Amino acid sequence: MHSGPAAILSELRSGTRDLHERVEAAVDWSGSSSSLPRYVSLLRKMLGFHKPVERLVAGQEELLAALPDIGQRQRVPLLERDLRALGAGAAGIEECRELPPVQPVAAGLGVLYVLEGSTLGGQVLARMARERLGVGEENGGSFFLGYGARTGEMWKRLTETITAHWHERPDEGRLMVGAARDTFSCFEKWLQTGDD
């Protein structure tokens, strides 16, 4: 592994690059913003994955101690709000059953690295949805906007927590990378399942 303050972030980036690229291809930013039905379908898929994973993360007391603002990082309400705004609703959406590990803390942080990283990349889709579909924060586009103006600050806080944990327990770096890979892999498989 690399050494230095940004070492674990570098390991997470390089260790998940292949899966990250595959997930981006599966999401198909351009195609997903080409019509409202495709956009709604993607929101439903996102909800089916985020709901059980966020529930798992929120239930881990040690992870909450390491990152006390986890409650502010729950994005399921945004997905539900977006679906309501688009007249789709969230009833009857199947939930993903193959989930990444969130224990111990290092694994949970690996999962959060992926979930929170999507707040950065999702802004690309938010822009496309606004330009092509007229979907903005108030009418179905809040999820992909991440935390709005606070997105950078929230990401920085997470990466500082990840780095601090790795400095305390450098032997858990591979566990963190493994959980991040598992998260991408579970999400990729979930995207490939039939319509909900």
Side-chain angles (χ1 to χ4, degrees), residues 20-34:
H20 190 173
E21 289 172 357
R22 287 189 354 219
V23 164
E24 283 196 344
V27 168
D28 179 15
W29 298 117
S30 185
S32 294
S33 63
S34 64

Side-chain angles (χ1 to χ4, degrees), residues 10-178:
S10 177
E11 290 294 332
L12 282 162
R13 270 191 303 275
S14 62
T16 59
R17 183 172 291 119
D18 60 327
L19 288 166
H20 190 173
E21 289 172 357
R22 287 189 354 219
V23 164
E24 283 196 344
V27 168
D28 179 15
W29 298 117
S30 185
S32 294
S33 63
S34 64
S35 71
L36 273 175
R38 288 192 68 176
Y39 180 75
V40 167
S41 178
L42 178 60
L43 288 177
R44 290 175 62 85
K45 276 293 185 186
M46 291 289 185
L47 181 57
F49 185 75
H50 276 261
K51 197 167 193 175
V53 175
E54 284 187 6
R55 198 165 45 233
L56 267 182
V57 166
Q60 299 306 318
E61 289 184 17
E62 290 180 12
L63 194 53
L64 287 167
L67 193 65
D69 69 353
I70 282 180
Q72 298 172 37
R73 296 174 186 270
Q74 300 287 304
R75 293 168 63 223
V76 164
L78 297 176
L79 283 163
E80 292 172 339
R81 175 180 144 190
D82 287 346
L83 285 165
R84 278 193 307 273
L86 293 165
I93 293 178
E94 183 182 349
E95 291 185 16
C96 181
R97 292 184 192 88
E98 185 178 336
L99 303 174
V102 295
Q103 286 184 309
V105 172
L109 290 172
V111 172
L112 284 169
Y113 170 82
V114 177
L115 294 185
E116 294 293 295
S118 72
T119 65
L120 306 174
Q123 297 193 18
V124 173
L125 184 56
R127 186 175 61 252
M128 287 182 177
R130 186 175 58 250
E131 292 169 358
R132 296 175 175 186
L133 306 173
V135 172
E137 183 175 4
E138 298 303 320
N139 66 338
S142 63
F143 174 76
F144 289 109
L145 288 171
Y147 304 109
R150 295 173 53 234
T151 300
E153 166 201 333
M154 296 289 277
W155 177 249
K156 183 172 186 275
R157 199 174 312 146
L158 174 69
T159 58
E160 287 171 350
T161 302
I162 286 172
T163 302
H165 184 83
W166 179 74
H167 278 297
E168 288 175 17
R169 299 183 180 183
D171 55 313
E172 294 186 359
R174 282 189 176 82
L175 182 60
M176 209 180 285
V177 173

